[in-house]
Amino acid sequence: MIKESLELKLTPPSQRPRRLRINQAMRDLVSETRLSVSDLIYPLFIRAGENIKKPIMSMSGQFQFSVDHLAQEIDEIVSLKIPAVLLFGIPAEKDACGSAAWQEYGVVQQAIRLIKSRAPNLLVIADLCFCEYTDHGHCGVIEKNRAGEWDVNNDLTLELLVKQALSLAQAGVDIIAPSGMMDGVVKVLRENLDAQNYKNIAILSYSVKYASSFYGPFREAAEGAPQFGDRKTYQMDYRNASEALREAELDASEGADMLMVKPAGNYLDIIYRVKQAFPYLPLGAYQVSGEFAMIKAAAEKGWINEEQAMLESVTAIKRAGADFIITYFAKDLAAIL
Ligand code: PBG
């Protein structure tokens, strides 16, 4: 028992940080990180065919759309003032080299034309990669290495990526986002875009992309799961951080206009480092399918407050140093910001 008569020493605090948290208006006034709709990019999955709006089971509230079903979605995105969309295509036919990726009337090429005619000011970013287009699900041309294992041939893939990029450019894309982690991709893209007079098409490089289990739901969404093996010979090892600076440095020197770190939530340290090292290059971060799905799933079970968790997770990515965020929450966020 503590004696009633005991004299306690209670020096009042000389500093009171709580003053700045006294109510919502005060907290808003002094907040250091401000999320705004103009920071957001919304991914869209475009599927070959007609009359399709197919729910993606592992990504609650997300759909695959056929091009004829896209108009309404685009109108909604525009009315929410979301500045940009990121397109992924699911073609009707896949083959070993992913030739559906560079067809003039390929699924993404058609979507770009539709979006540009309907909403010319909505920025259209196209993901540049082959995993949705190859029958084996790898991000490029595969061949057997000396150990007899299948691996992606970097330089053969570069050639196909250039074809894909030129076809997207011809369709009217604003920004090309190579996501396959092929060495030297930014350089060949810039050279060939310039040579064909697409000097103003920007390159947003997925410079720092880790091999991550958090892409799981996306592989259902984009139907691009590798049929064997994994992506560890081209995507980065999550044990590495300085390597991220090397990847970013290479892309910057090859002419990338913007850099990206992916995934985002478990890589806030990487976002911070890349922004510190390249303060002059706009930095994006991709809150990937698994990050989204975990929040959705926990919210559906009633274990987490979805709106609060969404705001906290995306704000943290911006606080770490991202200038813009690719997120499946973009529409939900835009509705409340
Ligand atoms: C394609 C690509 C992937 C994602 C974006 N582009 C899949 C992968 O690399 O396996 C994942 C996005 C997400 O999980 O939301 N190369």
Side-chain angles (χ1 to χ4, degrees):
M1 265 309 263
I2 293 163
K3 278 198 237 105
E4 282 297 323
S5 59
L6 187 71
E7 280 240 5
L8 302 176
K9 296 217 181 293
L10 292 170
T11 317
S14 59
Q15 299 261 353
R16 293 191 184 271
R18 287 187 56 193
R19 274 189 209 119
L20 298 182
R21 299 176 203 139
I22 201 147
N23 60 26
Q24 187 70 43
M26 185 70 94
R27 292 191 291 273
D28 288 346
L29 185 72
V30 302
S31 69
E32 297 171 38
T33 307
R34 300 188 186 198
L35 201 57
S36 103
V37 180
S38 59
D39 302 328
L40 305 174
I41 296 173
Y42 189 57
L44 285 173
F45 298 97
I46 320 295
R47 193 189 174 83
E50 277 166 32
N51 202 22
I52 299 164
K53 183 177 176 185
K54 185 177 174 220
I56 300 164
M57 289 312 164
S58 53
M59 296 172 71
S60 186
Q62 308 297 311
F63 299 86
Q64 295 178 340
F65 294 95
S66 52
V67 175
D68 60 342
H69 252 287
L70 207 51
Q72 202 189 335
E73 183 72 6
I74 293 302
D75 293 349
E76 191 188 338
I77 290 165
V78 169
S79 71
L80 286 166
K81 301 198 161 48
I82 294 171
V85 289
L86 171 62
L87 305 184
F88 296 96
I90 302 119
E93 309 277 351
K94 304 190 186 215
D95 60 24
C97 63
S99 61
W102 63 80
Q103 304 306 316
E104 186 171 357
Y105 294 97
V107 59
V108 170
Q109 287 81 351
Q110 287 183 46
I112 294 169
R113 290 193 184 91
L114 177 120
I115 298 169
K116 281 286 137 189
S117 67
R118 200 166 177 97
N121 296 323
L122 180 64
L123 287 170
V124 179
I125 310 171
D127 185 84
L128 191 81
C129 193
F130 280 99
C131 57
E132 297 106 50
Y133 298 93
T134 51
D135 49 17
H136 46 73
H138 279 284
C139 299
V141 184
I142 54 169
E143 59 176 22
K144 282 203 168 139
N145 64 16
R146 274 179 294 174
E149 293 151 352
W150 289 101
D151 194 8
V152 173
N153 179 309
N154 193 89
D155 299 8
L156 288 177
T157 302
L158 288 183
E159 193 179 325
L160 303 188
L161 287 168
V162 168
K163 283 190 179 185
Q164 186 184 12
L166 291 176
S167 145
L168 297 165
Q170 196 176 34
V173 79
D174 297 298
I175 302 172
I176 289 180
S179 71
M181 291 299 280
M182 293 300 129
D183 293 337
V185 66
V186 173
K187 181 164 187 271
V188 295
L189 287 179
R190 190 70 273 158
E191 280 171 356
N192 285 280
L193 288 168
D194 286 356
Q196 302 301 318
N197 217 11
Y198 295 118
K199 296 192 170 67
N200 288 327
I201 294 184
I203 298 174
L204 162 60
S205 183
Y206 286 64
S207 313
V208 181
K209 179 174 178 181
Y210 287 90
S212 171
S213 58
F214 293 96
Y215 305 149
F218 176 93
R219 294 183 181 167
E220 177 205 335
E223 301 180 24
Q227 297 305 301
F228 51 84
D230 54 38
R231 304 207 202 287
K232 289 182 180 165
T233 65
Y234 39 106
Q235 299 178 348
M236 282 175 54
D237 184 325
Y238 57 71
R239 292 171 294 188
N240 297 347
S242 348
E243 189 189 3
L245 299 180
R246 183 181 189 207
E247 286 284 1
E249 165 70 39
L250 284 170
D251 285 1
S253 69
E254 291 177 20
D257 300 283
M258 299 175 263
L259 305 177
M260 193 205 299
V261 172
K262 172 185 175 184
N266 285 311
Y267 296 84
L268 297 179
D269 57 327
I270 307 297
I271 295 173
Y272 182 81
R273 288 193 201 209
V274 172
K275 190 64 205 178
Q276 296 291 307
F278 302 93
Y280 46 83
L281 284 181
L283 179 63
Y286 198 144
Q287 183 181 47
V288 301
S289 55
E291 300 178 65
F292 170 82
M294 285 195 302
I295 293 176
K296 280 281 179 187
E300 276 160 21
K301 286 196 173 266
W303 294 345
I304 204 171
N305 178 313
E306 179 175 338
E307 186 173 305
Q308 295 304 319
M310 160 178 86
L311 277 166
E312 185 176 337
S313 63
V314 178
T315 303
I317 296 165
K318 186 149 187 218
R319 189 189 64 228
D323 299 296
F324 54 89
I325 299 129
I326 301 164
T327 174
Y328 302 97
F329 283 123
K331 287 194 334 185
D332 299 343
L333 280 166
I336 60 168
L337 284 173

